[in-house]
Amino acid sequence: MKSTEEKILKAATKMFSEYGYNGVSTKKIATAAGVNEVTIFRHYTNKSNLLQAVIKHYSFEGNIIEKVKSDLTGDVERDLEIFAEDYYMFLVNNIKMYKIQMREITDEAKRFTNSVEYVEFMRDYLQKKVDINEFTGDPSIISKGIISMIMGIFTFNTYAPDVFDGVPNRRLICEYVDKIVKLYVVKKRTLKC
Amino acid sequence: MKSTEEKILKAATKMFSEYGYNGVSTKKIATAAGVNEVTIFRHYTNKSNLLQAVIKHYSFEGNIIEKVKSDLTGDVERDLEIFAEDYYMFLVNNIKMYKIQMREITDEAKRFTNSVEYVEFMRDYLQKKVDINEFTGDPSIISKGIISMIMGIFTFNTYAPDVFDGVPNRRLICEYVDKIVKLYVVKKRTLKC
DNA sequence: TATAATTGCAAGCAAGTACTTACATACAAT
DNA sequence: ATTGTATGTAAGTACTTGCTTGCAATTATA
């Protein structure tokens, strides 16, 4: 059984992501959550505070660095795929928060902080592989390129899937990772796509 | 001297892109435009209609297909750079509309229609180059990859520039185009970045 | 069983919103 | 000089919104 706070938080996340902060009323959020409007104010004081709670709740939920750390194998080629896949799944799983961040967070420094950490972590990983001569690309550029590509694919897929005309996201991601492998990984294996 | 309608349209574009449709009042748009609120209703009937006018006005302004057609040289390597540069500049020049599209257009089919046309045009261009053996990549995948990469770079740069940590957008774009040239262009020239 | 905490309900308030109406003013075309 | 057109001003209407208050009902705890 879900607690009242959870119900409110879940409904708020859904409504904010669909209609935007100013596009939905506390009354509607309450209805969606199946609680009385007053209950929202009792728990979160005011509407703005509720949005902050939604954002805060998300940052604990989606710890992508821990996830990728536990997935990595040590093999550069495989790990590049994992970096791409994990980041893509992170966006897919947090699509509501992605939309909220796009719309409501006005402070740049607080937006996509997960992505900032992720790209730094990937850069450091690749640098180590460069040091032991397993990888020849520029870690800073490659890591930023990978998450940019995935963000772009995800953005189009979310807002204008027509652009891809049926070509699946993973195919595009795989093709891109393949290019990097071909050009910069020392011991290449077979191509995946 | 700008006409009243232009002043309103410009102010509305700015306000909608910054604060969202529901985040700004007609009163505020009027003040920003330096006209009386009533004048807005006389020209655009209602607020929703004003948003439509903003979107419509933009679709005439940013004809990216005509632009790239006149820029293309026939040389694959150079033209790939042009496709990338023109699309990037298109996004930069229309950043306000980009934000409005993200926030306010709920009908997917009407979002990023320019990009849909652009990617089709690029795909057809590349297919011709494949037919005459100047290019060996998959036109459908490569064209979608290019605009995805640029969209991703632009998205991060707009919403979370921290991700790039000072690395310029054009550098990332150039690196990506270089990869495609290296792998798929038959007669390669020198590298650009 | 008694007590405390959580929630629902009804009413309301102050402010803001989109939009309207009526009238006055400025200016350009005839 | 007159007329039509575009704009400003002032006032107001009907509605929504965020938020509060008081009280009753329910549930959990002791």
Side-chain angles (χ1 to χ4, degrees):
Chain A
M1 186 58 183
K2 258 186 299 182
S3 79
T4 305
E5 291 206 342
E6 280 174 81
K7 284 195 292 183
I8 295 171
L9 223 48
K10 193 181 171 190
T13 306
K14 177 176 155 62
M15 303 297 268
F16 284 153
S17 75
E18 276 182 42
Y19 309 108
Y21 181 80
N22 290 305
V24 68
S25 63
T26 49
K27 177 81 193 148
K28 278 183 185 155
I29 294 172
T31 306
V35 303
N36 193 282
E37 190 186 3
V38 195
T39 307
I40 288 183
F41 290 105
R42 282 199 266 247
H43 281 275
Y44 297 98
T45 313
N46 55 45
K47 192 184 177 187
S48 160
N49 203 37
L50 175 58
L51 173 63
Q52 296 309 316
V54 165
I55 294 168
K56 195 169 184 182
H57 178 259
Y58 150 85
S59 72
F60 285 110
E61 225 184 33
N63 195 328
I64 185 180
I65 305 275
E66 290 309 313
K67 162 76 175 146
V68 77
K69 266 184 189 169
S70 75
D71 287 345
L72 291 176
T73 65
D75 174 70
V76 200
E77 179 169 349
R78 182 83 196 97
D79 287 349
L80 281 168
E81 289 163 12
I82 289 168
F83 270 118
E85 173 67 15
D86 280 9
Y87 188 65
Y88 176 68
M89 285 313 297
F90 172 75
L91 290 180
V92 169
N93 290 333
N94 295 289
I95 184 167
K96 286 175 190 161
M97 273 317 297
Y98 161 87
K99 288 189 179 183
I100 291 175
Q101 296 208 29
M102 292 288 210
R103 282 172 128 137
E104 317 302 349
I105 303 186
T106 46
D107 183 355
E108 280 178 356
K110 290 188 178 168
R111 222 154 18 190
F112 297 113
T113 51
N114 284 307
S115 299
V116 175
E117 287 172 44
Y118 196 73
V119 77
E120 284 171 3
F121 180 72
M122 199 193 316
R123 188 236 296 139
D124 293 345
Y125 170 94
L126 291 175
Q127 185 57 55
K128 280 176 200 155
K129 295 299 178 184
V130 168
D131 294 342
I132 59 175
N133 299 316
E134 290 186 9
F135 189 74
T136 60
D138 179 328
S140 166
I141 300 289
I142 303 288
S143 57
K144 292 171 178 63
I146 288 178
I147 68 158
S148 295
M149 174 61 88
I150 293 171
M151 176 57 85
I153 291 169
F154 184 76
T155 300
F156 274 128
N157 198 64
T158 302
Y159 291 105
D162 283 356
V163 170
F164 291 156
D165 192 30
V167 175
N169 291 358
R170 281 207 171 73
R171 173 78 203 282
L172 291 167
I173 295 171
C174 185
E175 285 278 349
Y176 179 64
V177 173
D178 255 13
K179 288 188 196 23
I180 295 169
V181 170
K182 272 186 198 167
L183 291 168
Y184 305 117
V185 170
V186 178
K187 287 183 203 166
K188 292 172 263 288
R189 287 200 308 271
T190 51
L191 295 181
K192 300 294 179 306
C193 46
Chain B
M1 187 59 184
K2 258 187 297 184
S3 81
T4 305
E5 290 206 342
E6 279 175 81
K7 283 195 292 182
I8 295 171
L9 224 50
K10 193 179 171 190
T13 306
K14 176 174 155 62
M15 303 297 268
F16 284 153
S17 75
E18 276 182 40
Y19 308 109
Y21 180 80
N22 291 305
V24 68
S25 63
T26 49
K27 178 80 193 151
K28 277 183 187 155
I29 294 173
T31 307
V35 303
N36 193 282
E37 191 185 3
V38 193
T39 307
I40 289 183
F41 291 103
R42 282 199 267 247
H43 280 277
Y44 297 98
T45 314
N46 55 46
K47 192 185 176 185
S48 160
N49 202 37
L50 174 59
L51 174 62
Q52 296 309 315
V54 165
I55 294 169
K56 194 169 185 182
H57 178 259
Y58 149 85
S59 73
F60 286 111
E61 225 183 33
N63 194 328
I64 185 180
I65 305 277
E66 291 308 313
K67 163 75 175 149
V68 78
K69 266 185 189 169
S70 76
D71 287 346
L72 291 176
T73 65
D75 176 69
V76 200
E77 180 169 347
R78 183 82 196 96
D79 287 350
L80 281 168
E81 289 163 13
I82 288 167
F83 270 118
E85 172 68 16
D86 280 11
Y87 188 67
Y88 175 67
M89 284 313 296
F90 172 74
L91 290 179
V92 169
N93 290 332
N94 295 290
I95 183 165
K96 285 176 192 162
M97 273 315 300
Y98 161 89
K99 288 190 179 183
I100 291 175
Q101 296 208 30
M102 292 288 211
R103 280 172 131 138
E104 316 302 347
I105 302 186
T106 45
D107 183 356
E108 280 179 355
K110 291 188 179 168
R111 224 155 15 191
F112 297 115
T113 52
N114 284 307
S115 298
V116 176
E117 288 171 43
Y118 195 74
V119 77
E120 286 171 1
F121 180 72
M122 200 193 316
R123 189 236 298 139
D124 294 346
Y125 169 94
L126 291 175
Q127 185 57 56
K128 282 178 198 154
K129 295 299 178 185
V130 169
D131 294 343
I132 58 174
N133 299 315
E134 290 187 5
F135 189 72
T136 61
D138 180 327
S140 166
I141 302 289
I142 303 289
S143 57
K144 291 171 179 63
I146 288 178
I147 68 158
S148 295
M149 175 60 89
I150 294 170
M151 176 58 84
I153 290 169
F154 185 76
T155 300
F156 275 128
N157 199 63
T158 304
Y159 291 105
D162 283 355
V163 170
F164 292 155
D165 192 31
V167 175
N169 291 358
R170 281 207 170 72
R171 174 76 202 281
L172 291 166
I173 295 171
C174 184
E175 285 277 350
Y176 179 63
V177 173
D178 254 13
K179 288 188 194 25
I180 295 169
V181 169
K182 272 187 197 166
L183 290 168
Y184 305 118
V185 170
V186 179
K187 286 183 203 165
K188 293 172 263 289
R189 289 202 307 270
T190 51
L191 297 180
K192 300 294 179 307
C193 45

